[in-house]
Amino acid sequence: MLLTFFSGFGQTYFISLSNPQIREALGLSHGGIGLAYGVATLTSAFILMEFGKIVDRLPTRTAALIVVAGLVAACIILASVQAVWMLVIAFLALRLFGQGMMGHVAMVATGKWYEANRGRAVSLVVLGHALSEAILPILAVSAMALVGWRMSWVLAAAALLLIALPALALLLASERTPTVSASASTGTPSGPVKRSWRRSDVLREPVFCALLVGVLSPPFMMTALFFQQLHLVEIKDWTAAAFAIGFTLFAATAVPVGLATGALIDRFSARALLPVFLLPMALALLLAALLEAVWAIYVFMVLLGGTAGAASTISGALWPEVFGVAHLGEIRAVAMSCMVAASAASPLITGLLIDAGVPFTAQLLWFAAAALLASGLMGLIQPRLADIALDRTLPPAQPFRKSRP
């Protein structure tokens, strides 16, 4: 939970609070800072695809401390940025170690440590995301008002050094390695051993690409909204403080929804929830585009919190449920890299479209329609997902061909 909480320093909703000051300091437009952010985030996605394997090869404690140290360095670099190239490096490190690796280490460890109650375990771990979303934006706005944006990033680095690093070193001192399966512990027959897929097998499975459409929709669309939050506030005549309060409602919704999703996963499966978890976000994006009243912030942030809470729990449980745990780090690293790439593309695309005169509200309408289409696709792939999850021995190299007699 600490890992997911402190990943907030590398998340868009936190970084974007410094966007106006960064643009002013470096003379950047909306498209310019979006380009820097997009290039850095996309680069971090490629690095993460290989760097994410360390969770399979190193103890969780060692991997966690490496990642926290990297995030400390990222905060310090951003606090001292004086040129665009420094900004790209700072964004790269924040996205790689914060958004990418902090959550990756937490989710891979949890996916490997738990099986029968994996959904509930993941739902507790991802509470850190919700707490971060509720607390960090308000703290950041207050800190920037008191000491400025640069010193705020120094304070973030200090929090990581003084709180996160020693706490994680203590709490992860013992590696949690399961010694019995869930079936053995409950006395029920274990049945045939299911094969854990390798990354090469997963990449040859067409349904994996379809899964990514659903799993990547929330980070792509919410990153766009949160990155452009101050632009949206400006065109809607809202206030940054009002939007910051909306994050509290966002988190207050994400927490119970995430916990409920964990229980539902343990009862039905993560794959069964895929067709419905995007629907609240689709409605939220529609409302954000069309409504002008300040109270609209709180309505669509609650809806976004519903999808975010479900998405965090589903993404933590889905990959081990479908593809096994032996190579979970390398498989999830691919999914995380794609997620980071999606979050890189949306600020760049929306920033360039804003500069080109395309209203951000129109873009939100397009996102709402895309979310509905993705939800429908998740329903269509349910039979194939059930085949893979229930019998991982199906040949991944020929996923849609039935063997001949």
Side-chain angles (χ1 to χ4, degrees):
M1 193 184 295
L2 281 176
L3 283 167
T4 55
F5 176 84
F6 283 106
S7 73
F9 292 134
Q11 301 287 358
T12 298
Y13 64 81
F14 188 85
I15 298 172
S16 64
L17 294 173
S18 303
N19 279 359
Q21 294 89 340
I22 293 173
R23 288 195 294 108
E24 181 180 356
L26 302 180
L28 293 172
S29 66
H30 288 286
I33 194 171
L35 178 61
Y37 194 76
V39 168
T41 304
L42 188 59
T43 304
S44 75
F46 287 111
I47 296 173
L48 178 62
M49 192 172 298
E50 293 301 318
F51 190 49
K53 293 180 180 179
I54 69 170
V55 190
D56 290 333
R57 300 171 180 175
L58 297 177
T60 303
R61 182 176 189 256
T62 303
L65 296 183
I66 290 172
V67 171
V68 171
L71 188 55
V72 170
C75 293
I76 293 173
I77 294 171
L78 186 58
S80 57
V81 67
Q82 298 293 336
V84 174
W85 66 267
M86 290 182 66
L87 179 65
V88 173
I89 293 175
F91 280 164
L92 168 60
L94 285 170
R95 302 299 273 166
L96 175 61
F97 293 107
Q99 181 208 27
M101 286 300 298
M102 293 281 274
H104 180 61
V105 173
M107 290 296 100
V108 171
T110 308
K112 288 184 174 182
W113 293 342
Y114 300 95
E115 182 178 353
N117 293 299
R118 182 181 289 130
R120 290 179 176 86
V122 169
S123 70
L124 292 174
V125 172
V126 299
L127 283 178
H129 287 304
L131 292 172
S132 180
E133 291 155 358
I135 296 172
L136 291 186
I138 295 175
L139 290 179
V141 170
S142 301
M144 285 190 287
L146 292 174
V147 298
W149 71 277
R150 291 186 186 273
M151 186 55 64
S152 297
W153 283 101
V154 173
L155 293 176
L160 288 166
L161 277 174
L162 300 178
I163 301 174
L165 205 63
L168 289 169
L170 176 65
L171 293 171
L172 296 174
S174 299
E175 182 73 10
R176 277 81 169 167
T177 304
T179 56
V180 295
S181 67
S183 57
S185 64
T186 57
T188 57
S190 60
V193 177
K194 295 179 179 179
R195 182 175 63 85
S196 288
W197 290 40
R198 294 302 303 257
R199 181 168 70 178
S200 58
D201 298 331
V202 171
L203 293 177
R204 289 197 298 267
E205 171 56 62
V207 82
F208 178 68
C209 295
L211 272 176
L212 290 179
V213 173
V215 173
L216 299 183
S217 290
F220 180 88
M221 297 175 188
M222 290 190 196
T223 296
L225 178 60
F226 295 159
F227 189 84
Q228 304 294 353
Q229 61 177 281
L230 296 182
H231 174 67
L232 183 64
V233 163
E234 180 182 350
I235 63 177
K236 295 280 189 175
D237 199 24
W238 296 335
T239 65
F243 208 96
I245 294 172
F247 277 107
T248 303
L249 296 175
F250 176 93
T253 306
V255 169
V257 171
L259 293 172
T261 300
L264 291 173
I265 287 172
D266 290 336
R267 183 173 180 180
F268 299 107
S269 76
R271 62 187 185 276
L273 303 182
L274 289 172
V276 297
F277 84 107
L278 294 173
L279 298 179
M281 183 180 70
L283 179 57
L285 294 168
L286 183 65
L287 296 179
L290 298 179
L291 298 182
E292 301 290 336
V294 174
W295 56 262
I297 298 173
Y298 310 124
V299 177
F300 70 70
M301 289 295 270
V302 166
L303 291 168
L304 288 176
T307 289
S312 295
T313 306
I314 289 171
S315 65
L318 180 65
W319 309 116
E321 174 188 306
V322 177
F323 298 115
V325 300
H327 311 290
L328 181 57
E330 64 181 45
I331 292 171
R332 197 176 186 281
V334 175
M336 278 296 298
S337 296
C338 294
M339 185 272 285
V340 173
S343 64
S346 59
L348 174 59
I349 293 170
T350 55
L352 292 175
L353 287 175
I354 290 171
D355 288 346
V358 179
F360 186 55
T361 51
Q363 298 178 46
L364 293 177
L365 291 175
W366 300 344
F367 288 164
L372 290 175
L373 292 175
S375 184
L377 178 62
M378 295 303 97
L380 291 176
I381 65 174
Q382 287 298 306
R384 177 58 183 165
L385 285 177
D387 286 343
I388 297 174
L390 298 177
D391 183 7
R392 298 193 195 103
T393 60
L394 289 176
Q398 296 178 333
F400 291 121
R401 298 179 184 176
K402 295 183 179 179
S403 59
R404 296 179 179 179

